[in-house]
Amino acid sequence: MRARVRGRAGARAEVHVQAEVRVRRWEPPPAKRVLDLTLGSALLTLATPLLAAGAVALAARRPPGGVLAHSPRVGQDGHVFVLRSLRTRRLRLDLLSRLPYVVRGDLSLVGPEPLAPDDPRSGTDPAGTPASPGARHWRQELKPGLTGLAQIRSRSGMPWDEPALLDQHYAEHHGVRVDLAILASAVHAPLREATRGLARRGRARPGDTDRGKARLSDTDHRLSGYSTAEEVGSVGTD
């Protein structure tokens, strides 16, 4: 009887130890994943009515290939998944339609450009396996994103505009603060362009185009004190 009791007690103690080990092994998700999950879910909730309206408008036009575009992309650890997005660039609906992949974990809000498996920059072959055995490409270390450093710098006119170099720079220095700065810039630039466009339309009047062309004549670029009569006299003497 004592042996059985000891055996049962030992089994219970072992189960208790295993439970403690499981609890200790659990780790909270990284801050980047928390940002993707919370902000991505909020953006998806806000964008759902707009995405639904865009899908209905596209369905009414009956575009070839359907409302959604399907394309394989390489994710973290070389995982290949099919990316579906709306076939329109208006109001950036194509990017907003990818928010479910952020919530699910295939994409991140900020990261390198999602590449196709047959793209030589992805570091994988068309099947999704590493191109060189034993080598791990830096793109496989993190998830691709809806936007990234390369997309932001491409609009700024900076001389350093090589997308691969910018993506690699982000992979080496990424963090929550960097992600927030990139997201802020990604939102600010379209809003600024839209505001400027509305302001120009509000100030536009009939005949402004002709007057603008007149102001941009060659005389505007001549030195101060230049006289047209001198130019005419010099031509006449020749």
Side-chain angles (χ1 to χ4, degrees):
M1 287 294 293
R2 293 180 179 178
R4 292 181 181 178
V5 172
R6 290 179 180 177
R8 293 177 181 177
R12 292 176 182 175
E14 184 177 357
V15 171
H16 182 68
V17 170
Q18 291 179 356
E20 288 184 353
V21 171
R22 291 178 183 176
V23 172
R24 291 177 182 176
R25 286 181 180 178
W26 182 87
E27 296 180 358
K32 183 176 178 65
R33 177 55 184 161
V34 174
L35 177 65
D36 289 340
L37 188 58
T38 55
L39 186 56
S41 299
L43 291 176
L44 181 59
T45 302
L46 295 174
T48 295
L50 187 60
L51 293 174
V56 172
L58 283 174
R61 297 179 181 179
R62 297 182 180 180
V67 174
L68 298 177
H70 303 73
S71 55
R73 290 292 183 265
V74 180
Q76 191 175 20
D77 299 326
H79 170 67
V80 179
F81 62 98
V82 178
L83 183 63
R84 299 174 178 85
S85 55
L86 289 177
R87 295 180 182 273
T88 177
R89 304 289 290 178
R90 292 186 176 182
L91 302 177
R92 312 296 295 191
L93 290 181
D94 57 333
L95 292 180
L96 293 177
S97 64
R98 300 175 183 177
L99 284 171
Y101 294 91
V102 175
V103 178
R104 192 171 68 180
D106 292 324
L107 291 177
S108 179
L109 289 174
V110 181
E113 178 186 0
L115 301 177
D118 56 354
D119 194 312
R121 296 174 297 168
S122 65
T124 61
D125 59 16
T129 56
S132 56
R136 184 178 178 86
H137 198 270
W138 60 266
R139 286 185 180 273
Q140 300 178 11
E141 300 293 336
L142 67 167
K143 300 174 184 178
L146 294 184
T147 186
L149 186 61
Q151 293 88 330
I152 299 302
R153 289 292 182 91
S154 64
R155 304 193 201 102
S156 64
M158 297 291 289
W160 186 29
D161 57 355
E162 181 63 32
L165 294 178
L166 292 171
D167 283 340
Q168 187 172 3
H169 179 78
Y170 171 81
E172 296 172 353
H173 302 89
H174 71 278
V176 175
R177 293 183 179 179
V178 177
D179 287 1
L180 291 175
I182 292 176
L183 288 173
S185 180
V187 174
H188 179 262
L191 290 178
R192 181 178 57 186
E193 294 176 0
T195 303
R196 289 180 178 178
L198 292 175
R200 290 172 184 172
R201 291 180 182 178
R203 292 194 302 264
R205 296 178 181 178
D208 283 352
T209 304
D210 297 335
R211 287 197 296 268
K213 291 181 179 178
R215 294 193 188 99
L216 294 177
S217 62
D218 292 338
T219 56
D220 294 331
H221 305 283
R222 294 167 181 167
L223 298 176
S224 58
Y226 184 89
S227 175
T228 308
E230 294 178 0
E231 179 182 5
V232 175
S234 62
V235 174
T237 57
D238 295 339

